[in-house]
Amino acid sequence: MKKIVVVLFLTVFTNTFAQANKADVLKLVELSGEVKEFYNIADEISKQLSVNNRERFKKDMEPLIAKQKKNLIAYYSQNLSQSEVENLIEFYQTPLAKKFMMVKSNYAVVLSNRSEAFKAEIQGIIMKYMM
């Protein structure tokens, strides 16, 4: 009887601290927009290439993005419990989270526009010291 109680206790204890389900973590990563950010980075870089090379570049980026996605899922799976993942998924499905993601996305566009001007200013200062 004692063995059954100990085994039952260990089973419950282990499940409480078990890693999150990777399928749920994948859903979380997609809802949070992190995967989309990988694609946005690739899109921004592709704009610097000739039109002929853009699609080939994006195709070559797919395995790298898949690897980053896999690493992200593994990291979250190890560091978040199943209940934490479920709570985050629930949050990202709320109207507040959807609004936050939209505002965040819009800010990324504003920031990238401002960063170009900032980079130009930095280049001006760098040129001052190179001459």
Side-chain angles (χ1 to χ4, degrees):
M1 180 69 175
K2 287 183 182 181
K3 288 182 182 180
I4 294 173
V5 172
V6 170
V7 169
L8 182 62
F9 176 76
L10 288 174
T11 303
V12 170
F13 183 77
T14 304
N15 287 338
T16 303
F17 294 100
Q19 296 178 345
N21 176 324
K22 289 188 180 187
D24 288 337
V25 174
L26 171 61
K27 184 175 182 178
L28 171 63
V29 167
E30 289 174 348
L31 285 170
S32 71
E34 291 180 88
V35 173
K36 187 177 179 183
E37 288 180 26
F38 296 146
Y39 286 102
N40 290 342
I41 291 168
D43 287 341
E44 284 299 312
I45 294 170
S46 74
K47 290 177 184 176
Q48 298 174 16
L49 303 173
S50 69
V51 176
N52 296 336
N53 288 328
R54 287 180 185 170
E55 290 307 312
R56 288 193 336 229
F57 170 77
K58 288 179 183 180
K59 186 176 178 181
D60 287 345
M61 286 295 294
E62 282 296 329
L64 181 60
I65 291 172
K67 180 181 175 184
Q68 287 300 105
K69 183 176 168 180
K70 182 180 175 183
N71 290 340
L72 191 59
I73 291 167
Y75 178 77
Y76 284 159
S77 294
Q78 291 174 353
N79 291 288
L80 295 172
S81 70
Q82 183 64 30
S83 65
E84 290 170 329
V85 169
E86 290 169 357
N87 288 338
L88 285 167
I89 288 171
E90 188 176 317
F91 168 73
Y92 277 109
Q93 293 174 333
T94 65
L96 175 62
K98 290 176 183 177
K99 181 177 181 179
F100 173 71
M101 296 304 293
M102 181 186 70
V103 169
K104 182 180 169 185
S105 176
N106 291 341
Y107 182 71
V109 171
V110 169
L111 185 60
S112 80
N113 292 340
R114 288 186 182 163
S115 70
E116 292 303 317
F118 182 66
K119 288 176 189 175
E121 290 176 23
I122 290 174
Q123 286 176 341
I125 293 172
I126 290 172
M127 293 305 293
K128 175 181 168 183
Y129 290 98
M130 293 183 79
M131 296 186 164

